[in-house]
Amino acid sequence: MKVPRYLVPIDYKSVAHYFTDVLILGSGLAGVRAALAVDKSLSVAIVTKGAELEICSSTRAQGGIASVLDPLDNFENHIADTLTAGAGLCDERVVRFVIEHGPARIHELIDWGTHFDLDDNFHLDLTREGGHGFNRIAHALGDSTGKEIMRALFVQIKNRPNIRICTNTFAIDLITADNVCYGAILYSPQTGMKIVWAKQVILATGGSGQLYRETTNPEVTTADGMAMAYRAGARLRGLEFVQFHPTVLYLAGGARSLISEAVRGEGAYLIDKNGYRFMPDYDSRAELAPRDIVSRSIVAQMAKTNSSCVYLTLKHLDTAFVHRRFPGIESICHQFDLDLAKDNIPIRPGAHYMMGGIEVDLDAKTNIEGLRAVGEVTSTGLHGANRLASNSLLEAVVFGKIAGEGASIDAKNSPKDYVVFSLEDQCVPNSGMPLDTDDIRNTLKSVMQRCVGVMRDKDGLQEANDTFMSWQKFINDYQFKFPRGWELQNMLTICRLIAHCALIREETRGGHSRSDFPESRDEWKKYTVVERVASGDENDISEPLDN
Ligand SMILES: Cc1cc2nc3c(=O)[nH]c(=O)nc-3n(C[C@H](O)[C@H](O)[C@H](O)COP(=O)(O)OP(=O)(O)OC[C@H]3O[C@@H](n4cnc5c(N)ncnc54)[C@H](O)[C@@H]3O)c2cc1C
């Protein structure tokens, strides 16, 4: 596979140049939290491709943020639950670090104006989700936790004169030389191409749910950050570990809305089309088993009953409580003439969270100097092969702070003048015949859903891998002039890498399920790693790493 170093040729003399101490790509929780950790004496630019800051996964988060906030709970319990979900691939040092820093980060969110829901005694109203052995999920506005946290943090960043926000601005590529990152190539429809030179760059572009036909993620999650980091020489690992959320609303023509895990946490049952509660047949934790187990069980039960979905039922719970506790989900159901408390709610699994990503250390540093990464775009070692519910918002705030503080120190210690140079190794312009990007995009998502979905096998993965490799021959160096085209190139790059990693991992572990290798195997207790070789050859896949 030949992946070009840069997606667009840049005439360095004809584009606008900007300068900032810290450049942050992405305005979700990870990017915003990082920005707030940068010293106020430094200039920060937050770049985001959506028309509004709010367009990101963070604002969609429903269930909440996990942390040890009850005196009867303890760090060891939360660590144990996280390690169990991670299926042998978590880095215990990272798990301990994140969990022990959790309470302080959540109290900081409260100090910054986040209103978490309180119980009758005005204590945090903590709930439980699948895989957690204790009530430790703080939530807000019932089931709109992300919206409330981001509301509070957007107020904070708008009050910081050193932070500049650029919406509608697409990051195309990172600028590097000799494995050091110096900034990024950006595009906005109003001003065209520009280069932002920065002393430090933080990548916080989120996940990759849009690689699949069925997903809970917003339109912006096209894996741009992972792809641009890959082109720049960053190490990516564990890309085969995709978490499918078991309960995504399944109504023809309707948006694929997530029905939060908290609904099962509060006691909802899963039933099949015959009204049979099937989860106890698959796992003793029933509806509260980890997500991969629930997703696989649903797919198996759908096959067994020959149906395209199963149902959530809350009929046995108090109606007033259900409506009060889940107002957001209730209003979505209401649009389809369903009552969450009284009707069976049709659901099936959809791509929800990417455990794999850019490898970073405990300082949020990548293997490229001057480049940190934070949030869903990373693989920190917290989630291993599978994420425990509500641990990702936690990871974003803990690592966001680390990334912002570290970038701040390094920017202060770097020379006063910026390093500016003309770009080398640029792609050869190739416009060729017109390409229908939407058609390719939809087909790609269908191939991912069918061949690289909840249940995988060698034949399907090989088909996906071969298909993506053949498409890359004419799409990779095609010269697009608009974000949909660059997104397609990014999606294709990461789809091919996911299919490849899933193909070589001949076992079932965490979010990666192989029907032809249904057991976990000790020799696979390690990460797959991919890294672009400088020549852009096909030979870009490294050996698995020992964990
Ligand atoms: C429906 C839903 C519910 C969830 N519920 C929970 C929950 O209850 N608890 C929990 O812990 N986690 C939850 N998650 C997961 C969690 O929300 C995400 O993992 C987390 O918010 C990711 O934060 P982030 O900052 O890394 O990415 P995001 O919040 O997705 O932000 C990424 C940002 O990068 C920008 N961007 C992307 N590409 C480019 C580009 N090329 N140029 C410029 N900008 C770009 C995007 O526009 C966006 O601003 C949920 C996710 C979804 C989708």
Coordinates of all heavy atoms in Angstrom, one line a residue, residues 435-499:
L435 N -14.3 11.2 -9.3 CA -14.6 10.1 -8.4 C -15.9 10.5 -7.7 O -16.0 11.6 -7.2 CB -13.5 9.8 -7.4 CG -12.3 9.1 -7.9 CD1 -11.3 9.0 -6.8 CD2 -12.6 7.8 -8.5
D436 N -16.8 9.5 -7.5 CA -18.0 9.8 -6.7 C -17.7 9.4 -5.3 O -17.8 8.3 -4.9 CB -19.2 8.9 -7.3 CG -20.5 9.2 -6.5 OD1 -20.4 9.7 -5.4 OD2 -21.5 8.8 -7.0
T437 N -17.2 10.4 -4.5 CA -16.7 10.1 -3.2 C -17.8 9.6 -2.3 O -17.6 8.7 -1.4 CB -16.1 11.4 -2.5 OG1 -17.1 12.4 -2.6 CG2 -14.8 11.8 -3.1
D438 N -19.1 10.0 -2.4 CA -20.1 9.5 -1.6 C -20.4 8.0 -1.8 O -20.7 7.3 -0.9 CB -21.4 10.3 -1.8 CG -21.3 11.7 -1.1 OD1 -20.4 11.9 -0.3 OD2 -22.1 12.6 -1.4
D439 N -20.3 7.7 -3.1 CA -20.6 6.3 -3.4 C -19.5 5.4 -2.8 O -19.8 4.3 -2.2 CB -20.6 6.1 -5.0 CG -20.9 4.7 -5.4 OD1 -21.9 4.1 -4.8 OD2 -20.2 4.1 -6.2
I440 N -18.2 5.8 -2.9 CA -17.1 5.0 -2.4 C -17.3 4.9 -0.8 O -17.1 3.9 -0.2 CB -15.8 5.6 -2.8 CG1 -15.6 5.7 -4.3 CG2 -14.6 4.7 -2.2 CD1 -14.4 6.4 -4.8
R441 N -17.6 6.1 -0.3 CA -17.7 6.2 1.2 C -18.8 5.2 1.7 O -18.6 4.4 2.7 CB -18.1 7.6 1.5 CG -18.0 8.0 3.0 CD -18.5 9.5 3.0 NE -18.5 10.0 4.4 CZ -17.7 11.0 4.8 NH1 -16.8 11.5 3.9 NH2 -17.8 11.5 6.0
N442 N -20.0 5.2 1.0 CA -21.0 4.3 1.5 C -20.7 2.8 1.3 O -21.0 2.0 2.2 CB -22.3 4.6 0.7 CG -22.9 5.9 1.1 OD1 -22.6 6.4 2.2 ND2 -23.7 6.6 0.2
T443 N -20.0 2.5 0.2 CA -19.6 1.1 0.0 C -18.6 0.7 1.0 O -18.7 -0.4 1.6 CB -19.0 1.0 -1.4 OG1 -19.9 1.6 -2.4 CG2 -18.9 -0.5 -1.8
L444 N -17.6 1.6 1.3 CA -16.6 1.3 2.3 C -17.2 1.0 3.7 O -16.9 0.0 4.3 CB -15.7 2.5 2.4 CG -14.6 2.6 3.4 CD1 -13.4 3.3 2.7 CD2 -15.0 3.4 4.6
K445 N -18.2 1.8 4.0 CA -18.9 1.6 5.3 C -19.6 0.3 5.4 O -19.7 -0.4 6.4 CB -19.8 2.8 5.6 CG -19.1 4.1 6.0 CD -19.9 5.3 5.8 CE -21.0 5.5 6.7 NZ -20.8 6.6 7.7
S446 N -20.2 -0.1 4.2 CA -20.9 -1.4 4.2 C -20.0 -2.5 4.3 O -20.2 -3.5 5.0 CB -21.7 -1.5 2.9 OG -22.7 -0.6 2.9
V447 N -18.8 -2.4 3.6 CA -17.8 -3.5 3.7 C -17.3 -3.7 5.1 O -17.2 -4.8 5.6 CB -16.6 -3.2 2.7 CG1 -15.5 -4.2 2.9 CG2 -17.0 -3.2 1.3
M448 N -17.1 -2.5 5.8 CA -16.6 -2.6 7.2 C -17.7 -3.3 8.0 O -17.4 -4.1 8.9 CB -16.3 -1.2 7.7 CG -15.1 -0.6 7.2 SD -13.6 -1.5 7.7 CE -13.4 -1.0 9.4
Q449 N -19.0 -2.9 7.9 CA -20.0 -3.4 8.7 C -20.1 -5.0 8.5 O -20.3 -5.7 9.4 CB -21.4 -2.8 8.3 CG -22.5 -3.0 9.2 CD -22.4 -2.2 10.5 OE1 -21.9 -1.2 10.5 NE2 -22.9 -2.8 11.6
R450 N -20.0 -5.4 7.2 CA -20.3 -6.8 6.9 C -19.0 -7.7 7.2 O -19.2 -8.7 7.8 CB -20.6 -6.9 5.4 CG -20.9 -8.2 4.9 CD -21.5 -8.2 3.5 NE -20.7 -7.4 2.5 CZ -19.7 -7.9 1.9 NH1 -19.3 -9.2 2.1 NH2 -19.0 -7.2 1.0
C451 N -17.8 -7.1 6.9 CA -16.6 -8.0 7.0 C -15.8 -7.7 8.3 O -15.0 -8.5 8.7 CB -15.8 -7.8 5.8 SG -16.6 -8.2 4.3
V452 N -15.9 -6.5 8.9 CA -15.0 -6.2 10.0 C -15.9 -5.7 11.2 O -15.5 -4.8 11.9 CB -14.0 -5.1 9.6 CG1 -12.8 -5.0 10.5 CG2 -13.5 -5.3 8.1
G453 N -17.1 -6.3 11.3 CA -18.1 -5.9 12.3 C -17.9 -6.7 13.6 O -16.8 -7.1 14.0
V454 N -19.1 -6.9 14.3 CA -19.1 -7.6 15.6 C -18.4 -9.0 15.5 O -17.6 -9.3 16.4 CB -20.5 -7.7 16.1 CG1 -20.6 -8.5 17.4 CG2 -21.1 -6.3 16.4
M455 N -18.8 -9.8 14.5 CA -18.3 -11.1 14.4 C -17.4 -11.2 13.1 O -17.9 -10.7 12.0 CB -19.4 -12.2 14.3 CG -20.0 -12.6 15.6 SD -18.8 -13.0 16.9 CE -18.4 -14.7 16.5
R456 N -16.2 -11.6 13.2 CA -15.3 -11.6 12.0 C -14.7 -13.0 11.7 O -14.7 -13.8 12.6 CB -14.1 -10.7 12.4 CG -14.5 -9.3 12.8 CD -13.5 -8.5 13.5 NE -13.9 -7.1 13.8 CZ -13.1 -6.2 14.4 NH1 -11.9 -6.5 14.8 NH2 -13.6 -5.0 14.5
D457 N -14.3 -13.2 10.5 CA -13.6 -14.4 10.2 C -12.6 -14.1 9.1 O -12.6 -13.1 8.5 CB -14.5 -15.6 9.8 CG -15.3 -15.3 8.6 OD1 -14.9 -14.5 7.8 OD2 -16.4 -15.9 8.4
K458 N -11.7 -15.1 8.8 CA -10.6 -14.9 7.9 C -11.1 -14.5 6.5 O -10.6 -13.5 5.9 CB -9.8 -16.2 7.8 CG -8.6 -16.0 6.9 CD -7.7 -17.2 6.9 CE -6.6 -16.9 5.9 NZ -5.9 -18.1 5.5
D459 N -12.2 -15.2 6.0 CA -12.6 -14.9 4.6 C -13.1 -13.4 4.5 O -12.7 -12.7 3.5 CB -13.7 -15.8 4.2 CG -13.2 -17.3 4.0 OD1 -12.0 -17.4 4.0 OD2 -14.0 -18.2 4.0
G460 N -13.9 -13.0 5.5 CA -14.4 -11.7 5.4 C -13.3 -10.6 5.5 O -13.3 -9.6 4.8
L461 N -12.4 -10.8 6.5 CA -11.3 -9.9 6.7 C -10.4 -9.8 5.5 O -10.0 -8.7 5.1 CB -10.6 -10.2 7.9 CG -11.4 -10.1 9.3 CD1 -10.6 -10.7 10.4 CD2 -11.7 -8.6 9.5
Q462 N -10.2 -11.0 4.9 CA -9.3 -10.9 3.7 C -10.0 -10.2 2.5 O -9.4 -9.4 1.8 CB -9.0 -12.4 3.2 CG -8.0 -12.5 2.2 CD -6.6 -12.2 2.7 OE1 -6.1 -12.8 3.7 NE2 -5.9 -11.2 2.2
E463 N -11.3 -10.4 2.4 CA -12.1 -9.7 1.4 C -12.0 -8.2 1.6 O -11.7 -7.4 0.7 CB -13.5 -10.1 1.4 CG -14.4 -9.4 0.4 CD -15.9 -9.7 0.6 OE1 -16.2 -10.8 1.1 OE2 -16.7 -8.8 0.2
A464 N -12.2 -7.7 2.8 CA -12.1 -6.3 3.2 C -10.7 -5.8 2.9 O -10.5 -4.7 2.2 CB -12.5 -6.1 4.6
N465 N -9.7 -6.5 3.3 CA -8.3 -6.0 3.1 C -8.0 -5.9 1.6 O -7.4 -4.9 1.2 CB -7.4 -7.1 3.8 CG -6.0 -6.6 3.9 OD1 -5.7 -5.6 4.6 ND2 -5.1 -7.3 3.2
D466 N -8.4 -6.9 0.9 CA -8.1 -6.9 -0.6 C -8.8 -5.7 -1.3 O -8.3 -5.0 -2.1 CB -8.4 -8.2 -1.2 CG -7.5 -9.3 -0.7 OD1 -6.5 -9.0 0.0 OD2 -7.8 -10.5 -1.0
T467 N -10.1 -5.6 -0.9 CA -10.9 -4.5 -1.5 C -10.3 -3.1 -1.2 O -10.1 -2.3 -2.1 CB -12.3 -4.5 -0.9 OG1 -12.9 -5.8 -1.0 CG2 -13.2 -3.5 -1.5
F468 N -9.9 -2.9 0.0 CA -9.3 -1.6 0.4 C -8.0 -1.4 -0.3 O -7.7 -0.3 -0.7 CB -9.2 -1.5 1.9 CG -10.5 -1.6 2.7 CD1 -10.6 -2.1 3.9 CD2 -11.7 -1.1 2.1 CE1 -11.8 -2.2 4.6 CE2 -12.9 -1.2 2.8 CZ -13.0 -1.8 4.0
M469 N -7.2 -2.4 -0.4 CA -5.9 -2.3 -1.1 C -6.1 -1.9 -2.5 O -5.4 -1.1 -3.1 CB -5.1 -3.5 -0.9 CG -4.4 -3.6 0.4 SD -3.3 -5.0 0.6 CE -1.8 -4.3 -0.1
S470 N -7.1 -2.5 -3.2 CA -7.3 -2.3 -4.6 C -7.8 -0.8 -4.8 O -7.4 -0.1 -5.7 CB -8.2 -3.3 -5.3 OG -9.5 -3.1 -4.8
W471 N -8.7 -0.4 -3.9 CA -9.2 1.0 -4.0 C -8.0 2.0 -3.8 O -8.0 3.1 -4.3 CB -10.3 1.3 -3.0 CG -11.5 0.6 -3.2 CD1 -11.8 -0.2 -4.3 CD2 -12.7 0.6 -2.4 NE1 -13.1 -0.7 -4.2 CE2 -13.7 -0.3 -3.0 CE3 -13.0 1.1 -1.2 CZ2 -14.9 -0.5 -2.5 CZ3 -14.3 0.9 -0.7 CH2 -15.2 0.1 -1.3
Q472 N -7.1 1.7 -2.9 CA -6.1 2.6 -2.6 C -5.2 2.9 -3.8 O -4.7 4.0 -3.9 CB -5.2 2.1 -1.5 CG -5.8 2.2 -0.1 CD -4.9 1.9 1.0 OE1 -4.2 0.9 1.0 NE2 -5.0 2.7 2.1
K473 N -5.2 2.0 -4.7 CA -4.3 2.2 -5.9 C -4.8 3.5 -6.7 O -4.0 4.2 -7.3 CB -4.3 1.0 -6.8 CG -3.6 -0.1 -6.2 CD -3.5 -1.3 -7.2 CE -3.0 -2.5 -6.5 NZ -3.6 -3.8 -6.9
F474 N -6.1 3.8 -6.7 CA -6.5 4.9 -7.4 C -7.0 6.1 -6.5 O -7.2 7.2 -7.0 CB -7.5 4.6 -8.5 CG -8.8 4.0 -8.0 CD1 -9.9 4.7 -7.7 CD2 -8.9 2.6 -7.8 CE1 -11.1 4.2 -7.2 CE2 -10.1 2.0 -7.3 CZ -11.2 2.8 -7.0
I475 N -7.2 5.8 -5.2 CA -7.7 6.9 -4.4 C -6.6 7.6 -3.6 O -6.7 8.8 -3.3 CB -8.8 6.3 -3.4 CG1 -10.0 5.9 -4.3 CG2 -9.2 7.4 -2.4 CD1 -11.1 5.2 -3.5
N476 N -5.6 6.8 -3.2 CA -4.6 7.4 -2.3 C -3.9 8.7 -2.8 O -3.7 9.6 -2.1 CB -3.5 6.4 -2.0 CG -3.8 5.6 -0.7 OD1 -4.8 5.9 -0.1 ND2 -2.9 4.8 -0.3
D477 N -3.5 8.7 -4.1 CA -2.8 9.9 -4.6 C -3.7 10.7 -5.4 O -3.2 11.6 -6.2 CB -1.5 9.5 -5.3 CG -1.8 8.6 -6.5 OD1 -3.0 8.3 -6.7 OD2 -0.9 8.3 -7.3
Y478 N -5.0 10.5 -5.4 CA -6.0 11.3 -6.1 C -5.9 12.7 -5.4 O -5.9 12.8 -4.2 CB -7.4 10.7 -6.0 CG -8.4 11.4 -7.0 CD1 -8.5 10.8 -8.2 CD2 -9.1 12.5 -6.6 CE1 -9.4 11.4 -9.1 CE2 -10.0 13.0 -7.5 CZ -10.1 12.5 -8.7 OH -11.0 13.0 -9.6
Q479 N -5.9 13.7 -6.2 CA -5.8 15.0 -5.6 C -7.2 15.7 -5.4 O -7.7 16.4 -6.3 CB -4.9 15.9 -6.4 CG -4.4 16.8 -5.3 CD -3.7 17.9 -5.8 OE1 -2.7 17.7 -6.5 NE2 -4.2 19.0 -5.3
F480 N -7.7 15.6 -4.2 CA -9.0 16.2 -3.9 C -8.7 17.7 -3.4 O -7.6 18.0 -3.0 CB -9.7 15.5 -2.7 CG -10.2 14.1 -3.1 CD1 -9.5 13.0 -2.7 CD2 -11.3 14.0 -3.9 CE1 -9.9 11.7 -3.1 CE2 -11.8 12.7 -4.2 CZ -11.0 11.6 -3.8
K481 N -9.8 18.5 -3.6 CA -9.6 19.9 -3.2 C -10.6 20.2 -2.1 O -10.9 21.4 -1.8 CB -9.8 20.8 -4.4 CG -8.7 20.6 -5.5 CD -8.8 21.7 -6.5 CE -7.6 21.8 -7.4 NZ -7.3 20.6 -8.1
F482 N -11.3 19.2 -1.5 CA -12.3 19.5 -0.5 C -12.3 18.4 0.6 O -11.9 17.3 0.4 CB -13.7 19.6 -1.2 CG -13.9 18.4 -2.1 CD1 -14.5 17.2 -1.6 CD2 -13.5 18.4 -3.4 CE1 -14.8 16.1 -2.4 CE2 -13.7 17.3 -4.2 CZ -14.3 16.1 -3.7
P483 N -12.8 18.8 1.8 CA -12.7 17.9 3.0 C -13.4 16.5 2.7 O -12.8 15.5 3.2 CB -13.5 18.7 4.0 CG -13.2 20.1 3.7 CD -13.3 20.2 2.2
R484 N -14.5 16.4 2.0 CA -15.1 15.1 1.8 C -14.1 14.1 1.2 O -14.0 12.9 1.5 CB -16.3 15.1 0.9 CG -17.6 15.6 1.5 CD -18.3 14.8 2.5 NE -19.1 13.7 2.1 CZ -19.9 13.1 3.0 NH1 -19.9 13.4 4.2 NH2 -20.7 12.1 2.6
G485 N -13.3 14.6 0.2 CA -12.3 13.8 -0.4 C -11.2 13.4 0.5 O -10.8 12.2 0.6
W486 N -10.7 14.4 1.3 CA -9.6 14.0 2.2 C -10.1 13.1 3.3 O -9.4 12.2 3.7 CB -9.0 15.3 2.9 CG -8.5 16.3 1.9 CD1 -7.7 16.0 0.8 CD2 -8.7 17.7 1.8 NE1 -7.5 17.1 0.1 CE2 -8.1 18.2 0.7 CE3 -9.4 18.6 2.6 CZ2 -8.1 19.5 0.4 CZ3 -9.4 19.9 2.3 CH2 -8.7 20.4 1.2
E487 N -11.3 13.3 3.7 CA -11.9 12.3 4.7 C -12.0 10.9 4.1 O -11.6 10.0 4.8 CB -13.4 12.8 5.1 CG -13.4 13.9 6.1 CD -14.9 14.3 6.4 OE1 -15.8 13.8 5.8 OE2 -15.0 15.1 7.3
L488 N -12.4 10.8 2.9 CA -12.4 9.5 2.2 C -11.0 8.8 2.2 O -10.9 7.7 2.6 CB -13.0 9.6 0.8 CG -13.0 8.3 0.0 CD1 -14.0 7.3 0.6 CD2 -13.3 8.5 -1.4
Q489 N -10.0 9.6 1.9 CA -8.6 9.1 1.9 C -8.2 8.6 3.3 O -7.6 7.6 3.5 CB -7.7 10.1 1.3 CG -7.8 10.3 -0.2 CD -7.1 11.5 -0.7 OE1 -7.0 12.5 -0.1 NE2 -6.4 11.3 -1.9
N490 N -8.6 9.4 4.3 CA -8.3 9.0 5.7 C -9.0 7.8 6.1 O -8.5 6.9 6.7 CB -8.7 10.2 6.6 CG -7.7 11.4 6.5 OD1 -6.6 11.3 6.1 ND2 -8.3 12.6 6.8
M491 N -10.3 7.7 5.7 CA -11.1 6.6 6.1 C -10.6 5.3 5.5 O -10.4 4.2 6.1 CB -12.6 6.8 5.6 CG -13.3 7.9 6.4 SD -14.9 8.4 5.6 CE -16.0 7.1 6.1
L492 N -10.2 5.4 4.2 CA -9.7 4.2 3.5 C -8.4 3.7 4.1 O -8.2 2.5 4.3 CB -9.5 4.6 2.0 CG -9.1 3.5 1.1 CD1 -10.0 2.3 1.2 CD2 -9.0 4.0 -0.4
T493 N -7.5 4.7 4.5 CA -6.2 4.3 5.1 C -6.5 3.5 6.4 O -5.9 2.4 6.6 CB -5.4 5.6 5.4 OG1 -5.1 6.2 4.1 CG2 -4.1 5.2 6.1
I494 N -7.4 4.1 7.2 CA -7.6 3.4 8.5 C -8.4 2.1 8.4 O -8.1 1.1 9.1 CB -8.2 4.4 9.5 CG1 -7.2 5.6 9.7 CG2 -8.4 3.8 10.9 CD1 -5.8 5.3 10.2
C495 N -9.4 2.1 7.5 CA -10.1 0.9 7.3 C -9.2 -0.3 6.9 O -9.3 -1.4 7.4 CB -11.2 1.0 6.2 SG -12.6 1.9 6.7
R496 N -8.3 0.0 6.0 CA -7.4 -1.0 5.5 C -6.5 -1.5 6.7 O -6.2 -2.7 6.9 CB -6.5 -0.5 4.4 CG -5.8 -1.6 3.7 CD -4.3 -1.5 4.0 NE -3.7 -2.8 3.9 CZ -2.4 -3.0 3.9 NH1 -1.6 -1.9 4.0 NH2 -1.8 -4.2 3.8
L497 N -6.0 -0.6 7.5 CA -5.2 -0.9 8.6 C -6.0 -1.8 9.7 O -5.5 -2.7 10.2 CB -4.5 0.3 9.3 CG -3.5 1.1 8.4 CD1 -3.1 2.3 9.1 CD2 -2.3 0.2 8.1
I498 N -7.2 -1.4 9.9 CA -8.1 -2.1 10.8 C -8.3 -3.6 10.3 O -8.1 -4.6 11.0 CB -9.4 -1.5 11.1 CG1 -9.3 -0.1 11.8 CG2 -10.4 -2.4 11.9 CD1 -10.6 0.7 11.9
A499 N -8.6 -3.7 9.0 CA -8.8 -5.0 8.4 C -7.6 -5.8 8.5 O -7.6 -7.0 8.9 CB -9.3 -4.9 7.0

